[in-house]
Structures are given as C-alpha cells and as structure tokens.
Amino acid sequence: MGLAVAQMGPVNLADTRAVVVKRLVDMLREAAARGAEFVVFPELALTTFFPRYWMEEAEAVERFFEKSMPNDDVQPLFDAARELSVGFYLGYAEITPEGRRFNTAVLVDRQARVIGKYRKIHLPGHSDHKPDAPFQHLEKKFFEVGDLGFGVWEMDETNIGMCLCNDRRWPETYRVMSLQSAELIVLGYNTPSHNIHWNEPVHWRTTTHEIVLQASAYQNAVWVAAAGKCGYEDGYHMIGSSMIVAPSGEIVARASYEEDEVITANIDLELGRSFREHVFNFAKHRSPQHYKLIVERTGAGDPLPKP
Ligand code: CDT
C-alpha cells in the first residue's frame, strides 16, 4: 500500500479555510505523485489549534467548527481525492445538527466517500479558565467525549482504525482496534511543546510521542501513521516528528521539518500478519480473564486480594 502522512506547518488564526484547504490539496497531489493511495492529515487540520484560546463556546462554534463534511470550503480536497483516486483521513471540529461538539476525524475512500467517522475519546486539558497559564488547553470545554467507540473500517481490503492525538498515549486505544483486526491505525495530532499542567521537559514531548507509536505498533502488530500540525502557530510551538511506524516498531518514514511536508512509505501489510501469527497471536496467548481490572476500574485502586 502506498501510504503518505501529510504533516502541516502552522495554521494561524488569520488563515482562511480556503488557504488551508489549498495546502491540503497541494500535499494530496504530491502524495499521489509519489505513489500514495492513502494520505493521513492532522487533527483539527482546517484551523489553528483553537483550544489554546479562552472564548465562549458560541464564538468557537462560529469560527472553528464544521456543520457538515464535506462542505463548500473542504470540497476541493474531496474533488482532488476523487480525481487522483486517493483516500484520506482528516481531523476537524464537528458540530452536529443537535449542537453537540466533537473533535472528529473522517475516513474517506478513493471515490471521495466518507466511509468512517471517529470522535476523540481521550480529551486532554481542562474546561476552566487558567489566566496564569501561558495558553489554555480547553478540549474539555469545547468537546464532548466521543460516542462512537474505536472503530475499524475495511478500505480496499485493508482494515483501518482511527484515533486522535492524546488517544495515541493510551494502550487501550490500539488494543480495542487490533482486536477488530486492524492492520493500519491512523491518527492526527497537535502536541504543544510546553505542557501547561506541569514542568515537563520539552524534549519529552517528542520522545514520549515516538515511544507510544513505536511500542503500540509492535504490541498490536499494526502499522501506525501519525500526522502532526507543528511549528509556531501565532507564537505557540507544537512538535513535529510525524511518522510511519512498522509492526516491528521501527520508524520507516519521519518528517524532518516543522512545515508542510509529505512523507511516504510503501507499506507491506503482510508484515503485520507475521507478528499476529507468532508473538502476538491473540487467540492463542491472550488471557482476558486476568485483564478484568482494565474495564472494571478507571483510576488506580488497592491491590487485589491474593488468591
Ligand atoms: N491535542 C492533544 O490531544 N494534545 C495532547 C496534549 C496533552 S497536554 C495537555 C497530546 O497528548 O499530545
């Protein structure tokens, strides 16, 4: 499978949807020219990472949310995908007809049909105003926890699962999808280089990103493709390091810059099968009777009584 990750440099508050979508179309064309059949774009790809700003919900909806997908602004991307016969994953802020708000991604096939939707489950940050923080992380204010679960869709005989940003740090995310026979897990992210919640060394933001993608690809025998939006958005820095990781846990392609950049790999889906048939033969080796706490407890508690 020809796979591309289209990393985005900054999207500033002043950038219009038209300008942003043109950048996405340019990268889709470059990816197709390099043999890609599927392109992964970032989380909230159409706008700046607006949860960093304190504002009322109504203002956020007006400026940053999409009422439908596709819509007139995004249609050029869907048209290019159909013309080039390239599928894609795209993250955006969704408002439903009932007024519910989600951090969403869609899976679009090579005929430009939306065949899957994912709504982000692990929402980081806070919902209150933190005037002393250098910026906000208001995903818990602007979005509801996703209500669609972690799905897997078959596209051109490949089983593709989706998640978004902070989801990638949680092992359950991948395992729920690998138990549905996912072969490729795709995700977009916006990771601020500074963690406003504690004094996390800046370089850990990138190393932890790498570690979770590599370990999760290996432990679940899947390919993982992660596309970031990065660089300085109106002065606020986010990490780059978009990448494609093999089921061996090895990074096979990685972005070098903090700007729009297409990386590609010809991925061998059979490689995942080898891991699934041997070390991670789930049917043969898993012992779910010993994993009950994972669904019974949310937070950590006391050790279990000893048998
Ligand atoms: N967008 C997103 O989910 N970002 C988080 C930052 C968490 S720090 C509050 C991430 O995990 O990259």
Side-chain angles (χ1 to χ4, degrees), residues 43-44 49 103 120 122-126 137 139 164-169 188-192 194-197 200 205 239:
E43 175 190 44
L44 300 176
F49 187 66
N103 187 343
K120 186 173 180 179
H122 298 101
L123 296 174
H126 52 102
H137 198 114
E139 291 195 57
L164 276 160
C165 197
N166 193 260
D167 289 321
R168 75 195 189 287
R169 303 186 189 274
Y189 63 93
N190 287 264
T191 298
H194 293 274
N195 187 335
I196 61 167
H197 300 289
E200 181 178 356
R205 301 295 262 179
I239 68 166

mmCIF file of all heavy atoms in Angstrom, residues 43-44 49 103 120 122-126 137 139 164-169 188-192 194-197 200 205 239, ligand 1:
data_model
loop_
_atom_site.group_PDB
_atom_site.id
_atom_site.type_symbol
_atom_site.label_atom_id
_atom_site.label_comp_id
_atom_site.label_asym_id
_atom_site.label_seq_id
_atom_site.Cartn_x
_atom_site.Cartn_y
_atom_site.Cartn_z
ATOM 1 N N GLU A 43 -4.922 16.272 13.132
ATOM 2 C CA GLU A 43 -6.096 16.626 13.957
ATOM 3 C C GLU A 43 -6.409 18.109 13.729
ATOM 4 O O GLU A 43 -5.497 18.926 13.563
ATOM 5 C CB GLU A 43 -5.714 16.411 15.434
ATOM 6 C CG GLU A 43 -6.746 16.836 16.451
ATOM 7 C CD GLU A 43 -6.188 16.824 17.891
ATOM 8 O OE1 GLU A 43 -5.048 17.307 18.118
ATOM 9 O OE2 GLU A 43 -6.892 16.329 18.792
ATOM 10 N N LEU A 44 -7.691 18.478 13.773
ATOM 11 C CA LEU A 44 -8.103 19.888 13.627
ATOM 12 C C LEU A 44 -7.303 20.553 12.514
ATOM 13 O O LEU A 44 -6.716 21.633 12.688
ATOM 14 C CB LEU A 44 -7.945 20.643 14.956
ATOM 15 C CG LEU A 44 -8.760 20.092 16.138
ATOM 16 C CD1 LEU A 44 -8.447 20.860 17.417
ATOM 17 C CD2 LEU A 44 -10.268 20.128 15.862
ATOM 18 N N PHE A 49 -4.943 25.470 16.270
ATOM 19 C CA PHE A 49 -5.333 24.639 17.425
ATOM 20 C C PHE A 49 -6.054 25.556 18.430
ATOM 21 O O PHE A 49 -5.488 26.007 19.429
ATOM 22 C CB PHE A 49 -4.113 23.953 18.046
ATOM 23 C CG PHE A 49 -4.500 22.979 19.123
ATOM 24 C CD1 PHE A 49 -5.226 21.839 18.822
ATOM 25 C CD2 PHE A 49 -4.169 23.221 20.448
ATOM 26 C CE1 PHE A 49 -5.625 20.953 19.821
ATOM 27 C CE2 PHE A 49 -4.547 22.342 21.451
ATOM 28 C CZ PHE A 49 -5.282 21.219 21.128
ATOM 29 N N ASN A 103 -14.385 16.490 18.671
ATOM 30 C CA ASN A 103 -13.105 16.548 17.955
ATOM 31 C C ASN A 103 -13.083 15.281 17.084
ATOM 32 O O ASN A 103 -12.940 14.175 17.602
ATOM 33 C CB ASN A 103 -11.964 16.560 18.980
ATOM 34 C CG ASN A 103 -10.608 16.800 18.352
ATOM 35 O OD1 ASN A 103 -10.441 16.646 17.143
ATOM 36 N ND2 ASN A 103 -9.642 17.161 19.173
ATOM 37 N N LYS A 120 -13.074 11.851 19.063
ATOM 38 C CA LYS A 120 -11.990 11.672 20.045
ATOM 39 C C LYS A 120 -12.522 11.313 21.432
ATOM 40 O O LYS A 120 -13.410 11.993 21.966
ATOM 41 C CB LYS A 120 -11.163 12.954 20.101
ATOM 42 C CG LYS A 120 -9.918 12.889 20.967
ATOM 43 C CD LYS A 120 -9.108 14.170 20.776
ATOM 44 C CE LYS A 120 -7.843 14.201 21.599
ATOM 45 N NZ LYS A 120 -7.080 15.454 21.351
ATOM 46 N N HIS A 122 -10.206 10.305 24.325
ATOM 47 C CA HIS A 122 -9.348 10.826 25.403
ATOM 48 C C HIS A 122 -9.105 12.320 25.168
ATOM 49 O O HIS A 122 -8.237 12.702 24.378
ATOM 50 C CB HIS A 122 -8.016 10.076 25.444
ATOM 51 C CG HIS A 122 -8.160 8.602 25.736
ATOM 52 N ND1 HIS A 122 -8.105 7.635 24.757
ATOM 53 C CD2 HIS A 122 -8.369 7.943 26.908
ATOM 54 C CE1 HIS A 122 -8.265 6.434 25.315
ATOM 55 N NE2 HIS A 122 -8.434 6.593 26.613
ATOM 56 N N LEU A 123 -9.897 13.134 25.862
ATOM 57 C CA LEU A 123 -9.774 14.593 25.709
ATOM 58 C C LEU A 123 -8.853 15.128 26.809
ATOM 59 O O LEU A 123 -9.209 15.070 27.995
ATOM 60 C CB LEU A 123 -11.144 15.257 25.846
ATOM 61 C CG LEU A 123 -12.177 14.909 24.775
ATOM 62 C CD1 LEU A 123 -13.526 15.538 25.135
ATOM 63 C CD2 LEU A 123 -11.725 15.390 23.395
ATOM 64 N N PRO A 124 -7.701 15.664 26.466
ATOM 65 C CA PRO A 124 -6.814 16.199 27.500
ATOM 66 C C PRO A 124 -7.201 17.621 27.881
ATOM 67 O O PRO A 124 -8.106 18.227 27.294
ATOM 68 C CB PRO A 124 -5.448 16.185 26.798
ATOM 69 C CG PRO A 124 -5.779 16.433 25.368
ATOM 70 C CD PRO A 124 -7.127 15.790 25.116
ATOM 71 N N GLY A 125 -6.479 18.144 28.869
ATOM 72 C CA GLY A 125 -6.638 19.551 29.219
ATOM 73 C C GLY A 125 -7.690 19.783 30.289
ATOM 74 O O GLY A 125 -7.893 18.963 31.179
ATOM 75 N N HIS A 126 -8.407 20.888 30.177
ATOM 76 C CA HIS A 126 -9.283 21.378 31.245
ATOM 77 C C HIS A 126 -10.450 22.129 30.622
ATOM 78 O O HIS A 126 -10.457 22.396 29.418
ATOM 79 C CB HIS A 126 -8.478 22.317 32.166
ATOM 80 C CG HIS A 126 -7.766 23.405 31.407
ATOM 81 N ND1 HIS A 126 -8.226 24.691 31.357
ATOM 82 C CD2 HIS A 126 -6.650 23.385 30.623
ATOM 83 C CE1 HIS A 126 -7.423 25.414 30.601
ATOM 84 N NE2 HIS A 126 -6.456 24.647 30.139
ATOM 85 N N HIS A 137 -5.634 24.805 27.358
ATOM 86 C CA HIS A 137 -5.812 23.547 26.605
ATOM 87 C C HIS A 137 -7.248 23.096 26.863
ATOM 88 O O HIS A 137 -7.506 22.203 27.675
ATOM 89 C CB HIS A 137 -4.795 22.484 26.998
ATOM 90 C CG HIS A 137 -4.704 21.403 25.965
ATOM 91 N ND1 HIS A 137 -3.577 21.167 25.203
ATOM 92 C CD2 HIS A 137 -5.642 20.540 25.500
ATOM 93 C CE1 HIS A 137 -3.815 20.193 24.341
ATOM 94 N NE2 HIS A 137 -5.068 19.793 24.509
ATOM 95 N N GLU A 139 -9.770 21.470 25.519
ATOM 96 C CA GLU A 139 -10.532 20.415 24.826
ATOM 97 C C GLU A 139 -11.726 19.950 25.658
ATOM 98 O O GLU A 139 -12.767 19.599 25.119
ATOM 99 C CB GLU A 139 -9.623 19.246 24.473
ATOM 100 C CG GLU A 139 -8.620 19.612 23.381
ATOM 101 C CD GLU A 139 -7.971 18.403 22.774
ATOM 102 O OE1 GLU A 139 -8.665 17.512 22.262
ATOM 103 O OE2 GLU A 139 -6.721 18.343 22.819
ATOM 104 N N LEU A 164 -7.255 9.908 17.621
ATOM 105 C CA LEU A 164 -6.822 11.305 17.537
ATOM 106 C C LEU A 164 -5.914 11.665 18.702
ATOM 107 O O LEU A 164 -6.292 11.502 19.874
ATOM 108 C CB LEU A 164 -8.038 12.243 17.550
ATOM 109 C CG LEU A 164 -8.744 12.488 16.207
ATOM 110 C CD1 LEU A 164 -10.164 12.999 16.435
ATOM 111 C CD2 LEU A 164 -7.968 13.472 15.338
ATOM 112 N N CYS A 165 -4.762 12.126 18.385
ATOM 113 C CA CYS A 165 -3.811 12.776 19.288
ATOM 114 C C CYS A 165 -3.636 12.085 20.634
ATOM 115 O O CYS A 165 -3.007 11.064 20.726
ATOM 116 C CB CYS A 165 -4.148 14.255 19.455
ATOM 117 S SG CYS A 165 -2.737 15.147 20.138
ATOM 118 N N ASN A 166 -4.222 12.636 21.711
ATOM 119 C CA ASN A 166 -3.974 12.086 23.041
ATOM 120 C C ASN A 166 -4.356 10.615 23.141
ATOM 121 O O ASN A 166 -3.766 9.864 23.930
ATOM 122 C CB ASN A 166 -4.717 12.912 24.104
ATOM 123 C CG ASN A 166 -4.258 12.581 25.510
ATOM 124 O OD1 ASN A 166 -4.915 11.833 26.228
ATOM 125 N ND2 ASN A 166 -3.118 13.106 25.909
ATOM 126 N N ASP A 167 -5.308 10.157 22.306
ATOM 127 C CA ASP A 167 -5.659 8.725 22.279
ATOM 128 C C ASP A 167 -4.422 7.858 22.079
ATOM 129 O O ASP A 167 -4.391 6.704 22.530
ATOM 130 C CB ASP A 167 -6.606 8.428 21.107
ATOM 131 C CG ASP A 167 -8.007 8.977 21.266
ATOM 132 O OD1 ASP A 167 -8.547 8.938 22.374
ATOM 133 O OD2 ASP A 167 -8.566 9.423 20.242
ATOM 134 N N ARG A 168 -3.424 8.399 21.342
ATOM 135 C CA ARG A 168 -2.260 7.566 20.996
ATOM 136 C C ARG A 168 -1.422 7.203 22.203
ATOM 137 O O ARG A 168 -0.564 6.335 22.131
ATOM 138 C CB ARG A 168 -1.382 8.268 19.952
ATOM 139 C CG ARG A 168 -0.503 9.429 20.461
ATOM 140 C CD ARG A 168 -0.014 10.220 19.276
ATOM 141 N NE ARG A 168 0.984 11.237 19.474
ATOM 142 C CZ ARG A 168 0.813 12.429 20.046
ATOM 143 N NH1 ARG A 168 -0.336 12.739 20.640
ATOM 144 N NH2 ARG A 168 1.783 13.308 20.095
ATOM 145 N N ARG A 169 -1.635 7.884 23.317
ATOM 146 C CA ARG A 169 -0.835 7.601 24.516
ATOM 147 C C ARG A 169 -1.408 6.475 25.372
ATOM 148 O O ARG A 169 -0.793 6.086 26.360
ATOM 149 C CB ARG A 169 -0.718 8.881 25.366
ATOM 150 C CG ARG A 169 -0.112 10.049 24.595
ATOM 151 C CD ARG A 169 0.130 11.246 25.481
ATOM 152 N NE ARG A 169 0.503 12.415 24.693
ATOM 153 C CZ ARG A 169 1.749 12.704 24.311
ATOM 154 N NH1 ARG A 169 2.750 11.918 24.665
ATOM 155 N NH2 ARG A 169 2.004 13.781 23.595
ATOM 156 N N GLY A 188 -4.150 11.858 13.753
ATOM 157 C CA GLY A 188 -3.607 13.209 13.646
ATOM 158 C C GLY A 188 -3.382 13.761 15.034
ATOM 159 O O GLY A 188 -4.007 13.310 16.000
ATOM 160 N N TYR A 189 -2.478 14.736 15.141
ATOM 161 C CA TYR A 189 -2.198 15.293 16.471
ATOM 162 C C TYR A 189 -1.802 16.767 16.403
ATOM 163 O O TYR A 189 -1.398 17.283 15.363
ATOM 164 C CB TYR A 189 -1.114 14.481 17.195
ATOM 165 C CG TYR A 189 0.257 14.450 16.544
ATOM 166 C CD1 TYR A 189 1.239 15.359 16.898
ATOM 167 C CD2 TYR A 189 0.576 13.494 15.582
ATOM 168 C CE1 TYR A 189 2.498 15.336 16.309
ATOM 169 C CE2 TYR A 189 1.825 13.452 14.991
ATOM 170 C CZ TYR A 189 2.788 14.371 15.357
ATOM 171 O OH TYR A 189 4.027 14.340 14.776
ATOM 172 N N ASN A 190 -1.988 17.439 17.544
ATOM 173 C CA ASN A 190 -1.464 18.792 17.819
ATOM 174 C C ASN A 190 -0.883 18.702 19.217
ATOM 175 O O ASN A 190 -1.642 18.688 20.202
ATOM 176 C CB ASN A 190 -2.588 19.837 17.860
ATOM 177 C CG ASN A 190 -3.169 20.181 16.510
ATOM 178 O OD1 ASN A 190 -2.788 21.161 15.867
ATOM 179 N ND2 ASN A 190 -4.134 19.392 16.079
ATOM 180 N N THR A 191 0.410 18.612 19.331
ATOM 181 C CA THR A 191 1.024 18.465 20.655
ATOM 182 C C THR A 191 1.842 19.702 20.993
ATOM 183 O O THR A 191 2.922 19.907 20.436
ATOM 184 C CB THR A 191 1.903 17.197 20.703
ATOM 185 O OG1 THR A 191 1.071 16.060 20.468
ATOM 186 C CG2 THR A 191 2.584 17.061 22.063
ATOM 187 N N PRO A 192 1.317 20.548 21.909
ATOM 188 C CA PRO A 192 2.089 21.732 22.311
ATOM 189 C C PRO A 192 3.420 21.297 22.929
ATOM 190 O O PRO A 192 3.474 20.328 23.695
ATOM 191 C CB PRO A 192 1.195 22.405 23.358
ATOM 192 C CG PRO A 192 -0.185 21.868 23.088
ATOM 193 C CD PRO A 192 0.014 20.470 22.570
ATOM 194 N N HIS A 194 5.124 22.847 25.126
ATOM 195 C CA HIS A 194 5.097 23.097 26.571
ATOM 196 C C HIS A 194 3.825 22.497 27.149
ATOM 197 O O HIS A 194 2.743 22.687 26.613
ATOM 198 C CB HIS A 194 5.150 24.600 26.871
ATOM 199 C CG HIS A 194 6.466 25.198 26.489
ATOM 200 N ND1 HIS A 194 7.554 25.209 27.325
ATOM 201 C CD2 HIS A 194 6.863 25.766 25.335
ATOM 202 C CE1 HIS A 194 8.580 25.764 26.710
ATOM 203 N NE2 HIS A 194 8.192 26.115 25.494
ATOM 204 N N ASN A 195 3.996 21.770 28.243
ATOM 205 C CA ASN A 195 2.848 21.217 28.952
ATOM 206 C C ASN A 195 2.471 22.228 30.033
ATOM 207 O O ASN A 195 3.262 22.483 30.952
ATOM 208 C CB ASN A 195 3.231 19.864 29.573
ATOM 209 C CG ASN A 195 2.041 19.156 30.167
ATOM 210 O OD1 ASN A 195 1.056 19.784 30.537
ATOM 211 N ND2 ASN A 195 2.124 17.844 30.270
ATOM 212 N N ILE A 196 1.271 22.801 29.930
ATOM 213 C CA ILE A 196 0.891 23.843 30.899
ATOM 214 C C ILE A 196 0.580 23.271 32.270
ATOM 215 O O ILE A 196 0.447 24.012 33.235
ATOM 216 C CB ILE A 196 -0.314 24.683 30.406
ATOM 217 C CG1 ILE A 196 -1.548 23.799 30.213
ATOM 218 C CG2 ILE A 196 0.044 25.463 29.145
ATOM 219 C CD1 ILE A 196 -2.829 24.593 30.033
ATOM 220 N N HIS A 197 0.432 21.940 32.380
ATOM 221 C CA HIS A 197 -0.005 21.349 33.638
ATOM 222 C C HIS A 197 1.139 21.058 34.599
ATOM 223 O O HIS A 197 0.940 20.964 35.793
ATOM 224 C CB HIS A 197 -0.794 20.067 33.373
ATOM 225 C CG HIS A 197 -2.027 20.318 32.541
ATOM 226 N ND1 HIS A 197 -3.117 20.978 33.032
ATOM 227 C CD2 HIS A 197 -2.304 20.022 31.252
ATOM 228 C CE1 HIS A 197 -4.050 21.072 32.082
ATOM 229 N NE2 HIS A 197 -3.566 20.498 30.997
ATOM 230 N N GLU A 200 7.075 19.696 32.444
ATOM 231 C CA GLU A 200 7.597 18.560 31.678
ATOM 232 C C GLU A 200 8.709 19.053 30.752
ATOM 233 O O GLU A 200 8.506 20.003 29.986
ATOM 234 C CB GLU A 200 6.452 17.948 30.842
ATOM 235 C CG GLU A 200 6.887 16.743 30.030
ATOM 236 C CD GLU A 200 5.735 16.114 29.233
ATOM 237 O OE1 GLU A 200 4.582 16.557 29.367
ATOM 238 O OE2 GLU A 200 6.029 15.172 28.472
ATOM 239 N N ARG A 205 8.217 15.710 25.168
ATOM 240 C CA ARG A 205 7.009 15.740 24.336
ATOM 241 C C ARG A 205 7.230 14.942 23.055
ATOM 242 O O ARG A 205 6.329 14.280 22.561
ATOM 243 C CB ARG A 205 6.621 17.184 23.999
ATOM 244 C CG ARG A 205 6.361 18.015 25.222
ATOM 245 C CD ARG A 205 5.173 17.525 26.000
ATOM 246 N NE ARG A 205 3.999 18.306 25.668
ATOM 247 C CZ ARG A 205 2.806 18.089 26.175
ATOM 248 N NH1 ARG A 205 2.619 17.086 27.023
ATOM 249 N NH2 ARG A 205 1.791 18.843 25.851
ATOM 250 N N ILE A 239 5.077 20.237 18.493
ATOM 251 C CA ILE A 239 6.105 19.316 17.997
ATOM 252 C C ILE A 239 5.778 18.845 16.574
ATOM 253 O O ILE A 239 4.614 18.813 16.174
ATOM 254 C CB ILE A 239 6.293 18.085 18.913
ATOM 255 C CG1 ILE A 239 5.060 17.151 18.880
ATOM 256 C CG2 ILE A 239 6.610 18.508 20.334
ATOM 257 C CD1 ILE A 239 5.310 15.769 19.483
HETATM 258 N N1 CDT B 1 -4.353 17.554 21.059
HETATM 259 C C1 CDT B 1 -3.917 16.742 22.053
HETATM 260 O O1 CDT B 1 -4.594 15.796 22.413
HETATM 261 N N2 CDT B 1 -2.733 17.058 22.631
HETATM 262 C C2 CDT B 1 -2.220 16.367 23.760
HETATM 263 C C3 CDT B 1 -1.547 17.323 24.670
HETATM 264 C C4 CDT B 1 -1.723 16.940 26.074
HETATM 265 S S1 CDT B 1 -1.056 18.116 27.203
HETATM 266 C C5 CDT B 1 -2.427 18.881 27.859
HETATM 267 C C6 CDT B 1 -1.266 15.234 23.403
HETATM 268 O O2 CDT B 1 -1.344 14.181 24.027
HETATM 269 O O3 CDT B 1 -0.411 15.408 22.537
#
